[in-house]
């Protein structure tokens, strides 16, 4: 997923500030990810933390890409666009965390596990997602006459929402930390090396 953010940062016109602002989290996440290539079973618990942080990091990367598109490619000036976009990014991340928390502790996920055919996409999450994309589209419309740039910003807004949802892995990690005995009773091999699971 991060390649979709890295490639635009490398494209012309190249801007060193936007490149490093986006690449530093990507590099750190790749270094951290080596652990899960070397010993995925042993570090299974922290994998959920990794996925949550990865969701936030890649959402931030896409945010940087949209800023580069508008400030470097289009020529937007002033901090207003960046401030509004940053507020929308934080709002999307916070919204998905709250939404996931409510779904988790209301028992909705348990009901979905029992009967997946009963799933209806919540009107709240649909409206907020559409609202986020429309807001990004409208603020890009006010500063740019380039339809191509507006479409690209809207596309990256969709990707930001996907990564904001992936960031809800943070809740799974917190649940694992808070309920080790319940997890152990359900998945006895959780967090153990592969050899120990085979016994």
């Amino acid at each position: 997923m991060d390649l979709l953010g890295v490639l635009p940062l490398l494209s012309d016109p190249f801007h060193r500030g936007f490149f490093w602002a986006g690449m530093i989290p990507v590099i750190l996440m790749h270094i951290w990810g080596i652990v899960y290539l070397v010993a995925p079973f042993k570090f299974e618990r922290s994998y959920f933390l990794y996925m949550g942080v990865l969701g936030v990091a890649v959402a931030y990367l896409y945010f940087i890409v949209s800023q580069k598109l508008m400030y470097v490619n289009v020529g937007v000036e002033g901090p207003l666009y960046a401030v509004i976009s940053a507020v929308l990014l934080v709002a999307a991340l916070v919204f998905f965390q709250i939404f996931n928390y409510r779904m988790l502790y209301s028992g909705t996920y348990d009901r979905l596990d029992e009967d997946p055919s009963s799933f209806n996409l919540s009107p709240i999450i649909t409206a907020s997602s559409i609202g986020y994309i429309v807001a990004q589209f409208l603020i890009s419309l006010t500063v740019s006459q380039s339809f191509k740039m507006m479409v690209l910003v809207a596309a990256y807004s969709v990707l930001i929402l996907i990564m904001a949802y992936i960031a809800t892995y943070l809740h799974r990690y917190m649940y694992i930390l808070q309920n080790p005995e319940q997890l152990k009773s359900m998945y006895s091999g959780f967090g153990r090396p592969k050899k120990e699971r085979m016994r």
Side-chain angles (χ1 to χ4, degrees):
M1 291 295 289
D2 56 15
L3 275 178
L4 293 173
V6 170
L7 293 177
L9 293 178
L10 289 169
S11 66
D12 284 331
F14 180 79
H15 189 280
R16 185 175 297 176
F18 283 113
F19 175 77
W20 285 112
M23 284 303 295
I24 288 173
V26 169
I27 292 167
L28 294 174
M29 292 309 296
H30 279 267
I31 292 170
W32 183 5
I34 292 170
V35 170
Y36 306 106
L37 293 174
V38 175
F41 295 99
K42 184 178 179 183
F43 297 104
E44 188 173 13
R45 181 173 62 179
S46 66
Y47 171 76
F48 290 91
L49 174 63
Y50 174 79
M51 286 301 295
V53 175
L54 181 70
V56 174
V58 178
Y60 166 77
L61 172 66
Y62 294 154
F63 164 77
I64 294 296
V65 169
S66 68
Q67 298 307 296
K68 184 205 172 192
L69 290 172
M70 297 308 292
Y71 279 95
V72 177
N73 294 58
V74 174
V76 171
E77 295 179 358
L80 184 61
Y81 178 79
V83 169
I84 294 172
S85 296
V87 168
L88 290 171
L89 171 66
V90 172
L93 289 168
V94 169
F95 169 79
F96 274 100
Q97 295 300 321
I98 293 170
F99 177 80
N100 185 66
Y101 182 86
R102 289 188 177 174
M103 291 278 285
L104 181 65
Y105 291 101
S106 68
T108 304
Y109 286 142
D110 289 334
R111 288 194 297 276
L112 290 175
D113 282 342
E114 293 169 8
D115 185 16
S117 63
S118 67
F119 179 70
N120 290 322
L121 190 63
S122 167
I124 296 171
I125 196 168
T126 304
S128 64
S129 299
I130 291 171
Y132 176 82
I133 295 164
V134 169
Q136 283 286 359
F137 187 81
L138 289 176
I139 60 172
S140 63
L141 181 65
T142 61
V143 295
S144 170
Q145 297 302 317
S146 170
F147 183 74
K148 179 182 176 183
M149 286 301 148
M150 289 185 289
V151 169
L152 282 172
V153 168
Y156 277 101
S157 299
V158 172
L159 292 173
I160 286 172
L161 291 174
I162 293 169
M163 299 316 295
Y165 179 76
I166 291 174
T168 60
Y169 268 78
L170 292 170
H171 280 141
R172 297 181 190 191
Y173 177 71
M174 295 304 295
Y175 182 85
I176 289 167
L177 288 182
Q178 293 168 359
N179 302 281
E181 293 304 318
Q182 184 179 356
L183 190 68
K184 190 175 180 180
S185 67
M186 295 171 63
Y187 306 105
S188 58
F190 187 86
R192 294 183 178 179
K194 188 175 182 180
K195 290 179 181 177
E196 293 183 20
R197 295 181 188 214
M198 304 300 254
R199 296 175 186 174

